[in-house]
Amino acid sequence: MKHGSADSRSMTSKGHRKAELQSTRRREAEDMVDRYIRRDIRGLLDLAIPDDEDANNAASALATSISVLVEKLLSGGNRQSSYSNSSNSRGSRGAATRRGGSGSRSTMAAKQSVSKPNNDSANIISDWITEQQNAQSTKGKSVKAPSRNSVAALSKSFDEFRQWINSNNSTNESTLYEPISQFFCFVASCLKAVHTPSQAVCPRRLVVPFCKPDRKSADGDDNSRVDLYLNLPQLDDYTIGTLIENPPEEKNKLPMLNDTFAIVEVKSAIQGIGKAMPQLFQYTRGIYNEQYDRRFAWGMAVRGKKVQAVFFGPNYALASDTICVDDVNGRANLVKLLVDWSFCESHRLGYDPAILHNKRLRYYEINVGGED
């Protein structure tokens, strides 16, 4: 009995220390936001553009095509998308195409009331996949029709993320986790669905959230609960329409900061975006603590239907101007960022190319140059 009592006191003390540590870090993060962040940085999303020209062209073309698909689905296929089909080339992204803000008259005109999709959404998705694959096919060979499972999974993902776009100011924060996750899932699934052996330039990775939101991390040292953990699965390892899950033998395992590319902090529309920033700062420090190959990190703060991407440098942070997902250009900008993250070089994501991180065996290998 004495041993059990001591165990109980030890656990209570440990929990108290974690709570105290979390509170201290939150105060530090609030101070860092005031001191280090620069907001509404135009062109910040361009930092994710691939260096390789072929990759940049492929990413731009696919991002445009996915955006057109999204608008067609949102309109039920009954009217032409108001999003331009023109591909965005390097250096030509202006405020009208990259920002998705809500200040200009032209941007306000681009806003549209989103109708429920009709029963043709599966046909629209199927036709889009076939069109994209045929465009990549060599020697004029036609490709086989997309599988029903893939089309059904994409349709389901669309139905889920549409709830984010249609949400209102009273929507609770926790009810946004799944629709936001499914927006990421939809873009990743589109990239996977159109992939063929003939594809000249393939995504280097996909960007997909962990399946369980609002969780503590397995490798964190306090009680912080992160809203969404973004992971980077390889194209061949990803199943269309799914979020990241642990293998069956680790089903109940918590997500790990060591495996996380970026954090997404979500707040409801009635909460200020400022409430998300200190938490995003705090949790991103956890990524730095666990990943020794990071030179900088990305993150996202979401308030209702407004999104800001954040670039965390060594001693500063830059927040993008606001991306509005109820705006046609805003949705296109968010799609473009996710596609750029999928195609760009690893150093564009913040990873040091001189350090190899073996996640399976969990060790780091540093290239110091010179001969062996």
Side-chain angles (χ1 to χ4, degrees), residues 172-225:
N172 186 274
E173 170 188 327
S174 61
T175 61
L176 293 173
Y177 296 153
E178 184 64 18
I180 293 171
S181 295
Q182 289 299 328
F183 190 96
F184 286 86
C185 180
F186 182 84
V187 174
S189 295
C190 284
L191 293 176
K192 171 76 173 188
V194 302
H195 173 65
T196 69
S198 303
Q199 191 171 7
V201 183
C202 303
R204 298 170 186 264
R205 69 200 65 86
L206 300 173
V207 183
V208 187
F210 187 72
C211 64
K212 297 177 181 178
D214 191 28
R215 291 291 192 274
K216 292 189 289 186
S217 65
D219 48 356
D221 58 0
D222 61 24
N223 293 323
S224 297
R225 301 175 71 93

Side-chain angles (χ1 to χ4, degrees), residues 278-336:
Q279 290 173 266
L280 191 58
F281 265 71
Q282 178 186 347
Y283 304 154
T284 302
R285 287 181 69 183
I287 290 179
Y288 275 114
N289 288 340
E290 297 297 329
Q291 298 182 21
Y292 306 129
D293 58 341
R294 296 304 286 265
R295 299 163 69 181
F296 60 85
W298 288 90
M300 274 190 187
V302 179
R303 178 197 171 199
K305 291 183 278 190
K306 299 182 185 296
V307 180
Q308 281 187 295
V310 185
F311 179 99
F312 292 95
N315 58 353
Y316 62 91
L318 307 175
S320 71
D321 39 14
T322 302
I323 303 167
C324 302
V325 298
D326 59 349
D327 173 279
V328 61
N329 287 326
R331 289 190 289 272
N333 291 340
L334 187 54
V335 168
K336 182 65 170 71

Side-chain angles (χ1 to χ4, degrees), residues 29-337:
E30 289 171 351
D31 179 60
M32 284 192 294
V33 170
D34 293 336
R35 293 167 57 192
Y36 296 118
I37 194 167
R38 293 177 58 196
R39 302 176 187 272
D40 302 321
I41 304 298
R42 292 190 180 189
L44 181 68
L45 306 187
D46 291 346
L47 293 177
I49 293 175
D51 293 325
D52 180 79
E53 185 175 356
D54 290 336
N56 179 39
N57 291 337
S60 294
L62 272 171
T64 299
S65 183
I66 293 171
S67 295
V68 171
L69 171 64
V70 168
E71 300 313 314
K72 192 171 184 179
L73 288 167
L74 290 173
S75 67
N78 294 325
R79 64 176 183 268
Q80 187 176 1
S81 166
S82 60
Y83 177 66
S84 170
N85 274 312
S86 62
S87 177
N88 293 324
S89 61
R90 183 192 306 271
S92 64
R93 295 178 179 84
T97 58
R98 205 48 162 125
R99 293 176 63 194
S102 56
S104 68
R105 183 173 300 176
S106 61
T107 304
M108 291 298 291
K111 289 198 174 186
Q112 48 179 277
S113 59
V114 176
S115 61
K116 293 182 179 179
N118 58 25
N119 294 330
D120 291 335
S121 60
N123 291 332
I124 292 171
I125 291 171
S126 180
D127 290 346
W128 178 81
I129 295 173
T130 301
E131 178 186 346
Q132 292 298 309
Q133 291 183 336
N134 279 330
Q136 298 171 21
S137 180
T138 57
K139 300 179 181 179
K141 293 182 179 179
S142 60
V143 297
K144 63 181 181 180
S147 71
R148 290 184 179 180
N149 288 342
S150 296
V151 172
L154 271 164
S155 297
K156 182 176 183 296
S157 186
F158 165 71
D159 285 338
E160 290 282 352
F161 86 68
R162 182 169 55 91
Q163 297 175 29
W164 180 24
I165 296 171
N166 287 335
S167 63
N168 54 46
N169 289 342
S170 62
T171 302
N172 186 274
E173 170 188 327
S174 61
T175 61
L176 293 173
Y177 296 153
E178 184 64 18
I180 293 171
S181 295
Q182 289 299 328
F183 190 96
F184 286 86
C185 180
F186 182 84
V187 174
S189 295
C190 284
L191 293 176
K192 171 76 173 188
V194 302
H195 173 65
T196 69
S198 303
Q199 191 171 7
V201 183
C202 303
R204 298 170 186 264
R205 69 200 65 86
L206 300 173
V207 183
V208 187
F210 187 72
C211 64
K212 297 177 181 178
D214 191 28
R215 291 291 192 274
K216 292 189 289 186
S217 65
D219 48 356
D221 58 0
D222 61 24
N223 293 323
S224 297
R225 301 175 71 93
V226 171
D227 290 340
L228 299 178
Y229 297 82
L230 296 185
N231 287 253
L232 301 175
Q234 296 298 302
L235 189 68
D236 292 339
D237 298 334
Y238 181 66
T239 301
I240 290 174
T242 61
L243 300 175
I244 299 300
E245 295 185 2
N246 288 322
E249 65 272 14
E250 299 179 353
K251 185 176 180 180
N252 296 320
K253 185 178 177 182
L254 293 169
M256 298 190 69
L257 290 169
N258 194 266
D259 297 330
T260 301
F261 157 59
I263 299 294
V264 180
E265 182 60 28
V266 180
K267 297 297 179 188
S268 67
I270 60 175
Q271 295 173 292
I273 196 76
K275 291 184 178 295
M277 285 297 180
Q279 290 173 266
L280 191 58
F281 265 71
Q282 178 186 347
Y283 304 154
T284 302
R285 287 181 69 183
I287 290 179
Y288 275 114
N289 288 340
E290 297 297 329
Q291 298 182 21
Y292 306 129
D293 58 341
R294 296 304 286 265
R295 299 163 69 181
F296 60 85
W298 288 90
M300 274 190 187
V302 179
R303 178 197 171 199
K305 291 183 278 190
K306 299 182 185 296
V307 180
Q308 281 187 295
V310 185
F311 179 99
F312 292 95
N315 58 353
Y316 62 91
L318 307 175
S320 71
D321 39 14
T322 302
I323 303 167
C324 302
V325 298
D326 59 349
D327 173 279
V328 61
N329 287 326
R331 289 190 289 272
N333 291 340
L334 187 54
V335 168
K336 182 65 170 71
L337 177 61

